[in-house]
Amino acid sequence: MSQHGSEQVIGVVAATASGRTAAAALAAAWPGEVRLFTGEKAGDGLRAAWHACDAVVAFLAVGATVRVLAPLIGHKADDPAVVCVDESLRFAVAVLGGHHGANALADRVGGVLGSLPVVTTATDAAGIPALDSFGADLGCTIENPSMLARVGAALLSGEPVALADQGPWPVPALPGNVTVQDPARDDPARDDPARDDPARDDTAGAGARALIRIDDRTPAHPSDPEATLVLRPKSLVVGVGAARGVASAEVGGLIDAALSDAGLAPASVRCVATVDLKADEGGLLEAAGQRGWEVITFTADALAAIDVPNPSEIVRAEVGTPSVAEAAAILGARTHGARTHGRAAELVVGKRKSAAATVAVARLTPKGRLTLVGLGPGARDLLTPRAEAALRRASIVVGLDQYVDQVRDLLRPGTRTIESGLGQEEERARTAVEEAGRGRAVALIGSGDAGVYAMAAPALDFASADIVVEGVPGITAAVAASGLLGAPLGHDHAYISLSDLHTPWEVIERRVRAAAEGDFTVCFYNPRSRARDWQLPKALSILAEHRPPTTPVGYVRNATRPGESMTLTTLDEIDPAGVDMFTVVIVGSSRSRTVAGRFVTPRGYKWA
């Protein structure tokens, strides 16, 4: 189930008038996602929704729902997620498929109907990542699902558990009873020759009751405990060259042998790569399709630019590049999924030949992930679900100490926090980027929106293409203040910070004059401090040169936080002494006005 909107279909089943009303509310809230089953008997509707939809919301009792669905239940990874909502809409209960969408769906239902999500899966109750979806956002698949219960029980009971992370991959935090066995994780270059050795002699599982191994290599290590859960990352790209008319059995057999001999897991293959001249080669396409792998292609010129250990002038003469298999494998590992996963590539299986095909295998080096999270203006109910999810995905959270305190209860057990005080923004940004560069899942947090006078800009100044950077938007202080005052930002507006710590006052004044001459509504951030008390009066006087003295001015202190206060006045009556660094000041345009005690800037529509 997608957290942020989905192409999946949610079947909504209701048997009573109250249920049908609530079902209609879900359909209105999630346009295009909901299919209603409200015009038939509840049991029939429930069975129809089960067969036709990816998830089900049933406005029925849990017992009745389970009795109807019991004969249909197969495997949780394949069955629809099911949420039950009681007649009074008090509770949204995740009944089936908690880690496969039901828990998230219960949250979404609660967001629309005000129902309390009821989640009974043990890992969610303990704040621990669910192992059956651990690493799923990175493309990892579980090789031995039978170990889920045993390893999960050890994790929950506090027994010694080890994590052997080959990448390392940016996985979520794990609780204190988990030891990370990863010598490369503390090396920014992450240069670990042992990664290439199928007969590795690491002792990740030594002394642990259970082990989580994220690895694309197949031989089990003798020290691994019996309770070992193996996750296969999508880290391998198979490069293929082929003669025209090659048989799929020859291509597939060569690939299978290359992977097997090198001790590499087929489940870790991300795709097959080749030269674009072979984009329609039937045998190659069939072999890849039989194994569920995508085929990607590159031009001969692109492949010719890749250094390979086994170039061939014969191949160059035929297709325009001295290498197809090796070059395509390396280039595919560098580029395919590069924005989300890979930052570099290494050849782990050199060119192997059959009569009409060549094969090579490359491994991508995974990128760490830096998520820039806006926490909103302060009120917990204005922190977005996406921001909460980003905090749960992080193994490290970096932020101002007071902001970390604000969300500490949302962090998973084992999450490492790096906190610092005011004035250390550059240090926080640099630290977050460095930690992501080591392969970790990092969240850099700030108030409001991370991209508005916050941490996104300094972090991106330090970032490189070696990490994945994601942004999670937040509700800004300006938007929160605007909502309290009325609609002052209803037409064109400008944000201007009056702090001259990083911007010379001459530049700030020029921007204020431009906004005044352009008749923008102006929102002032950082308007006034003890040591900087003249800038706001000066800015107001500049605006007063271009708009009436009765122009509305509103300012909000601690918007949505304890101690919130709001003042609505005019340009000629505002007292700057009532403003401080916790305040947002909004000055209207010449068209702004006060309507029934509300600050409004009209859109300028002409109504017929």
Side-chain angles (χ1 to χ4, degrees), residues 248-249 251-256 259 266 285-294:
S248 62
V251 176
L254 187 60
I255 293 173
D256 295 343
L259 293 172
L285 297 176
E286 184 178 345
Q290 289 170 346
R291 290 155 180 80
W293 300 335
E294 176 188 7

Side-chain angles (χ1 to χ4, degrees), residues 394-484:
S395 61
I396 298 175
V397 172
V398 182
L400 182 68
D401 45 16
Q402 64 190 52
Y403 296 151
V404 174
D405 287 340
Q406 183 179 322
V407 296
R408 200 179 298 276
D409 62 304
L410 299 176
L411 307 183
R412 292 193 186 278
T415 303
R416 178 183 166 204
T417 61
I418 302 176
E419 309 163 44
S420 53
L422 289 168
Q424 297 178 281
E425 289 79 11
E426 182 176 326
E427 177 188 334
R428 285 195 291 275
R430 190 186 301 275
T431 297
V433 170
E434 289 174 351
E435 294 291 348
R438 295 187 174 100
R440 297 177 169 92
V442 181
L444 177 60
I445 63 173
S447 66
D449 181 273
V452 180
Y453 299 119
M455 295 304 300
L460 290 172
D461 275 343
F462 295 123
S464 71
D466 287 346
I467 63 173
V468 177
V469 180
E470 302 174 345
V472 177
I475 297 172
T476 67
V479 170
S482 176
L484 292 167

